[in-house]
């Protein structure tokens, strides 16, 4: 933790080690060790990290996230990309959480998302609603590569840590420095960098979904509509301790192409706290308001 934790510099490690060591005794069990790890994570303000011991997970939480029943009910159905034309010229694209198993899974998720986007763009989409309300994280690479037609190519962001790592985007690959993280074979070559985009957010929108927002800072403009995001704007790295213990630590912040470092939740440009209606998209208050805003932008242009 001293070597890798993102906020390591804020901790008096000599004092902390002495305090922790004084608490060890012959009665130390899994639960007590878990409590000590929660305290350690709190010392580095790491609410994105976690300590895994046998079948238990120990995390420090800075506060409970309040999530509506409508989001929780839809969340339980599992992650699924959804796309549709809502009205003439305005498309809808839901980008869910993207957990992954291996490289093949990453590439498949990026390809699936890009196929959905291409279908919309080939349908003469002039304005786009991207729904991140059910996106709690996972891998950011397929999310960003999957919408590459909306973004400039080249450097689009970075991780700020002891080792600065830049994000690069091409028409077929997402790279960190020179390492390819995901690949696709696009089914369309439409340049959509200038179409207006509105992002829908919720208290669940976090982690890689927030890095997705940082990557979108590389395009000319977009609007965030909905609720504050979760504020999990750190990259994590895992460290195996032994066969039964594993430590996940926050190790980097996200940085946009203008050098702005993000350390807290995104606040929407337009705050809308109404109940979400995922089973009735056309009457979802946030979607309706996004359509209205896009129509005004398209008339002005």
């Amino acid at each position: 933790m001293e070597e890798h934790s993102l906020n390591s510099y804020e901790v008096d490690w000599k004092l902390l080690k002495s305090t922790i060591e004084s608490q060890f005794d012959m009665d130390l069990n899994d639960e007590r060790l878990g409590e000590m790890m929660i305290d350690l994570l709190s010392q580095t303000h790491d609410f994105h990290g976690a300590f895994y011991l046998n079948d238990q997970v120990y995390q420090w939480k800075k506060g409970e996230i309040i999530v509506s029943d409508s989001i929780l009910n839809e969340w339980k159905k599992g992650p699924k990309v959804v796309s549709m034309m809502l009205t003439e010229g305005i498309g809808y694209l839901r980008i869910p959480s993207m957990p992954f198993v291996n490289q093949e899974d990453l590439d498949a998720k990026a390809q699936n998302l890009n196929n959905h986007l291409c279908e919309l763009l080939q349908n003469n989409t002039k304005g786009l609603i991207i729904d991140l309300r059910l996106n709690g994280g996972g891998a950011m690479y397929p999310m960003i590569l999957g919408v590459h037609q909306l973004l400039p190519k080249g450097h689009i962001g970075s991780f700020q840590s002891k080792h600065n790592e830049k994000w690069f985007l091409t028409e077929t690959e997402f790279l960190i420095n020179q390492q390819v993280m995901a690949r696709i074979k696009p089914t369309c070559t439409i340049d959509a960098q200038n179409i207006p985009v509105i992002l829908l957010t919720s208290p669940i929108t976090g982690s890689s979904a927030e890095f997705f927002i940082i990557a979108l800072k590389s395009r000319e403009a977009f609007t965030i509509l909905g609720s504050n995001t979760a504020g999990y704007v750190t990259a994590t790295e895992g460290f195996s301790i032994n066969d039964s213990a594993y430590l996940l630590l926050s190790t980097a912040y996200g940085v946009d192409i203008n050098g702005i470092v993000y350390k807290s939740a995104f606040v929407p440009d337009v705050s809308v706290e109404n109940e979400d209606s995922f089973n009735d998209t056309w009457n979802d208050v946030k979607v309706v308001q996004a359509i209205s805003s896009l129509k005004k932008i398209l008339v002005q242009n």
Side-chain angles (χ1 to χ4, degrees), residues 23-262:
Q23 297 178 45
F24 278 86
D25 55 48
M26 295 301 291
D27 297 324
L28 187 65
N29 55 27
D30 283 9
E31 184 177 355
R32 177 61 185 137
L33 182 57
E35 292 172 354
M36 291 170 68
M37 290 305 301
I38 291 173
D39 183 57
L40 278 172
L41 289 167
S42 74
Q43 296 291 329
T44 56
H45 309 290
D46 190 349
F47 58 91
H48 202 175
F51 178 60
Y52 300 82
L53 182 62
N54 296 318
D55 297 325
Q56 298 297 315
V57 181
Y58 300 91
Q59 284 183 288
W60 173 65
K61 298 180 180 180
K62 67 172 184 178
E64 291 297 323
I65 296 175
I66 299 174
V67 182
S68 67
D69 289 341
S70 59
I71 288 179
L72 286 176
N73 291 336
E74 193 68 21
W75 176 275
K76 292 174 184 177
K77 297 177 182 179
K80 181 182 178 182
V81 176
V82 176
S83 61
M84 66 184 82
M85 293 300 298
L86 294 173
T87 184
E88 185 177 353
I90 296 179
Y92 169 93
L93 180 65
R94 181 193 297 175
I95 303 178
S97 303
M98 290 194 177
F100 67 97
V101 177
N102 51 33
Q103 186 64 53
E104 183 180 0
D105 192 23
L106 280 172
D107 295 345
K109 283 182 165 61
Q111 187 70 57
N112 180 48
L113 177 57
N114 196 243
N115 291 346
H116 278 267
L117 176 61
C118 279
E119 187 175 341
L120 292 173
L121 295 178
Q122 289 168 335
N123 211 350
N124 200 30
T125 294
K126 300 193 180 298
L128 184 65
I129 298 168
I130 296 180
D131 194 342
L132 299 177
R133 288 177 292 177
L134 297 171
N135 192 327
M140 74 173 188
Y141 324 127
M143 299 177 197
I144 297 170
L145 180 58
V147 300
H148 79 83
Q149 288 89 351
L150 303 175
L151 299 167
K153 304 306 176 282
H155 175 220
I156 58 165
S158 59
F159 290 127
Q160 184 191 68
S161 63
K162 294 179 179 178
H163 306 288
N164 197 42
E165 298 175 308
K166 291 187 176 181
W167 314 340
F168 293 97
L169 189 65
T170 73
E171 292 182 355
T172 59
E173 297 176 334
F174 183 97
L175 303 91
I176 291 185
N177 290 338
Q178 297 179 338
Q179 183 178 359
V180 177
M181 307 304 294
R183 289 187 176 92
I184 60 169
K185 294 179 180 179
T187 56
C188 68
T189 57
I190 299 170
D191 184 350
Q193 291 183 54
N194 295 319
I195 72 168
V197 170
I198 292 182
L199 301 182
L200 304 185
T201 58
S202 78
I204 276 182
T205 307
S207 192
S208 290
E210 290 169 307
F211 286 128
F212 177 89
I213 296 174
I214 292 172
L216 256 67
K217 294 285 183 177
S218 62
R219 80 190 314 268
E220 204 163 292
F222 62 92
T223 300
I224 301 176
L225 185 153
S227 310
N228 288 9
T229 62
Y232 285 76
V233 284
T234 56
T236 57
E237 186 176 351
F239 303 89
S240 180
I241 297 171
N242 57 32
D243 291 341
S244 58
Y246 185 85
L247 184 61
L248 187 72
L249 297 176
S250 293
T251 57
Y253 286 119
V255 185
D256 70 19
I257 60 167
N258 299 309
I260 298 174
V261 181
Y262 295 86

